[in-house]
mmCIF file of all heavy atoms in Angstrom:
data_model
loop_
_atom_site.group_PDB
_atom_site.id
_atom_site.type_symbol
_atom_site.label_atom_id
_atom_site.label_comp_id
_atom_site.label_asym_id
_atom_site.label_seq_id
_atom_site.Cartn_x
_atom_site.Cartn_y
_atom_site.Cartn_z
ATOM 1 N N HIS C 274 -28.071 107.004 123.451
ATOM 2 C CA HIS C 274 -27.121 106.227 124.247
ATOM 3 C C HIS C 274 -26.224 105.378 123.348
ATOM 4 O O HIS C 274 -26.688 104.812 122.353
ATOM 5 C CB HIS C 274 -27.859 105.299 125.213
ATOM 6 C CG HIS C 274 -28.742 106.010 126.190
ATOM 7 N ND1 HIS C 274 -28.243 106.839 127.169
ATOM 8 C CD2 HIS C 274 -30.090 106.007 126.331
ATOM 9 C CE1 HIS C 274 -29.247 107.327 127.876
ATOM 10 N NE2 HIS C 274 -30.382 106.839 127.394
ATOM 11 N N ASP C 275 -24.950 105.280 123.721
ATOM 12 C CA ASP C 275 -24.012 104.381 123.043
ATOM 13 C C ASP C 275 -24.016 103.034 123.748
ATOM 14 O O ASP C 275 -23.854 102.959 124.973
ATOM 15 C CB ASP C 275 -22.594 104.944 123.062
ATOM 16 C CG ASP C 275 -22.300 105.805 121.843
ATOM 17 O OD1 ASP C 275 -22.714 105.419 120.742
ATOM 18 O OD2 ASP C 275 -21.676 106.862 122.013
ATOM 19 N N ALA C 276 -24.172 101.957 122.993
ATOM 20 C CA ALA C 276 -24.118 100.608 123.547
ATOM 21 C C ALA C 276 -23.827 99.639 122.418
ATOM 22 O O ALA C 276 -24.014 99.959 121.236
ATOM 23 C CB ALA C 276 -25.434 100.239 124.236
ATOM 24 N N THR C 277 -23.336 98.471 122.770
ATOM 25 C CA THR C 277 -23.221 97.373 121.799
ATOM 26 C C THR C 277 -23.764 96.109 122.438
ATOM 27 O O THR C 277 -23.600 95.877 123.636
ATOM 28 C CB THR C 277 -21.764 97.134 121.347
ATOM 29 O OG1 THR C 277 -20.962 96.812 122.494
ATOM 30 C CG2 THR C 277 -21.194 98.346 120.638
ATOM 31 N N ILE C 278 -24.436 95.302 121.624
ATOM 32 C CA ILE C 278 -24.985 94.019 122.052
ATOM 33 C C ILE C 278 -24.543 92.983 121.027
ATOM 34 O O ILE C 278 -24.873 93.110 119.837
ATOM 35 C CB ILE C 278 -26.521 94.073 122.157
ATOM 36 C CG1 ILE C 278 -26.953 95.124 123.195
ATOM 37 C CG2 ILE C 278 -27.090 92.703 122.525
ATOM 38 C CD1 ILE C 278 -28.450 95.364 123.261
ATOM 39 N N THR C 279 -23.795 91.988 121.468
ATOM 40 C CA THR C 279 -23.154 91.059 120.529
ATOM 41 C C THR C 279 -23.364 89.615 120.957
ATOM 42 O O THR C 279 -23.064 89.250 122.098
ATOM 43 C CB THR C 279 -21.638 91.335 120.449
ATOM 44 O OG1 THR C 279 -21.421 92.709 120.145
ATOM 45 C CG2 THR C 279 -20.988 90.459 119.381
ATOM 46 N N PHE C 280 -23.857 88.812 120.025
ATOM 47 C CA PHE C 280 -23.876 87.362 120.198
ATOM 48 C C PHE C 280 -22.671 86.823 119.431
ATOM 49 O O PHE C 280 -22.719 86.636 118.218
ATOM 50 C CB PHE C 280 -25.187 86.774 119.667
ATOM 51 C CG PHE C 280 -26.384 87.169 120.480
ATOM 52 C CD1 PHE C 280 -27.131 88.297 120.142
ATOM 53 C CD2 PHE C 280 -26.759 86.441 121.594
ATOM 54 C CE1 PHE C 280 -28.228 88.681 120.904
ATOM 55 C CE2 PHE C 280 -27.851 86.808 122.366
ATOM 56 C CZ PHE C 280 -28.589 87.932 122.015
ATOM 57 N N GLY C 281 -21.574 86.624 120.148
ATOM 58 C CA GLY C 281 -20.304 86.361 119.475
ATOM 59 C C GLY C 281 -20.107 84.932 119.024
ATOM 60 O O GLY C 281 -19.343 84.663 118.102
ATOM 61 N N ARG C 282 -20.784 84.009 119.671
ATOM 62 C CA ARG C 282 -20.658 82.604 119.269
ATOM 63 C C ARG C 282 -22.023 81.955 119.413
ATOM 64 O O ARG C 282 -22.678 82.075 120.453
ATOM 65 C CB ARG C 282 -19.646 81.878 120.163
ATOM 66 C CG ARG C 282 -19.368 80.427 119.711
ATOM 67 C CD ARG C 282 -18.415 79.699 120.662
ATOM 68 N NE ARG C 282 -19.047 79.368 121.928
ATOM 69 C CZ ARG C 282 -18.630 79.779 123.113
ATOM 70 N NH1 ARG C 282 -17.582 80.576 123.204
ATOM 71 N NH2 ARG C 282 -19.261 79.424 124.231
ATOM 72 N N VAL C 283 -22.455 81.291 118.357
ATOM 73 C CA VAL C 283 -23.717 80.541 118.370
ATOM 74 C C VAL C 283 -23.393 79.145 117.848
ATOM 75 O O VAL C 283 -22.786 79.000 116.787
ATOM 76 C CB VAL C 283 -24.772 81.215 117.475
ATOM 77 C CG1 VAL C 283 -26.078 80.418 117.508
ATOM 78 C CG2 VAL C 283 -25.011 82.656 117.917
ATOM 79 N N GLN C 284 -23.787 78.121 118.606
ATOM 80 C CA GLN C 284 -23.388 76.776 118.196
ATOM 81 C C GLN C 284 -24.396 75.736 118.675
ATOM 82 O O GLN C 284 -25.115 75.949 119.653
ATOM 83 C CB GLN C 284 -22.004 76.445 118.769
ATOM 84 C CG GLN C 284 -21.948 76.455 120.284
ATOM 85 C CD GLN C 284 -20.539 76.365 120.831
ATOM 86 O OE1 GLN C 284 -19.582 76.681 120.148
ATOM 87 N NE2 GLN C 284 -20.410 75.931 122.078
ATOM 88 N N SER C 285 -24.425 74.635 117.944
ATOM 89 C CA SER C 285 -25.209 73.475 118.357
ATOM 90 C C SER C 285 -24.301 72.254 118.342
ATOM 91 O O SER C 285 -23.198 72.287 117.784
ATOM 92 C CB SER C 285 -26.406 73.275 117.438
ATOM 93 O OG SER C 285 -25.997 73.160 116.084
ATOM 94 N N ASP C 286 -24.765 71.188 118.948
ATOM 95 C CA ASP C 286 -23.974 69.967 119.088
ATOM 96 C C ASP C 286 -24.017 69.179 117.788
ATOM 97 O O ASP C 286 -25.080 68.678 117.388
ATOM 98 C CB ASP C 286 -24.548 69.135 120.232
ATOM 99 C CG ASP C 286 -23.734 67.881 120.521
ATOM 100 O OD1 ASP C 286 -22.888 67.510 119.686
ATOM 101 O OD2 ASP C 286 -23.962 67.274 121.584
ATOM 102 N N PRO C 287 -22.893 69.029 117.078
ATOM 103 C CA PRO C 287 -22.916 68.328 115.783
ATOM 104 C C PRO C 287 -23.275 66.853 115.899
ATOM 105 O O PRO C 287 -23.639 66.229 114.900
ATOM 106 C CB PRO C 287 -21.488 68.517 115.252
ATOM 107 C CG PRO C 287 -20.653 68.809 116.452
ATOM 108 C CD PRO C 287 -21.547 69.538 117.410
ATOM 109 N N THR C 288 -23.178 66.291 117.082
ATOM 110 C CA THR C 288 -23.596 64.892 117.241
ATOM 111 C C THR C 288 -25.095 64.773 117.459
ATOM 112 O O THR C 288 -25.644 63.665 117.433
ATOM 113 C CB THR C 288 -22.866 64.237 118.439
ATOM 114 O OG1 THR C 288 -23.322 64.837 119.661
ATOM 115 C CG2 THR C 288 -21.362 64.403 118.316
ATOM 116 N N GLN C 289 -25.775 65.909 117.663
ATOM 117 C CA GLN C 289 -27.210 65.895 117.933
ATOM 118 C C GLN C 289 -28.038 66.609 116.875
ATOM 119 O O GLN C 289 -29.171 66.220 116.606
ATOM 120 C CB GLN C 289 -27.489 66.552 119.300
ATOM 121 C CG GLN C 289 -26.912 65.820 120.488
ATOM 122 C CD GLN C 289 -27.647 64.512 120.759
ATOM 123 O OE1 GLN C 289 -28.848 64.402 120.538
ATOM 124 N NE2 GLN C 289 -26.917 63.502 121.215
ATOM 125 N N HIS C 290 -27.477 67.664 116.271
ATOM 126 C CA HIS C 290 -28.289 68.425 115.325
ATOM 127 C C HIS C 290 -28.363 67.705 113.976
ATOM 128 O O HIS C 290 -27.588 66.792 113.697
ATOM 129 C CB HIS C 290 -27.771 69.853 115.170
ATOM 130 C CG HIS C 290 -26.394 69.973 114.552
ATOM 131 N ND1 HIS C 290 -25.551 71.020 114.819
ATOM 132 C CD2 HIS C 290 -25.706 69.190 113.671
ATOM 133 C CE1 HIS C 290 -24.425 70.887 114.143
ATOM 134 N NE2 HIS C 290 -24.499 69.785 113.433
#
Side-chain angles (χ1 to χ4, degrees):
H274 300 294
D275 269 319
T277 60
I278 299 173
T279 306
F280 292 92
R282 185 183 72 239
V283 180
Q284 61 190 22
S285 56
D286 184 346
T288 68
Q289 296 289 327
H290 65 208

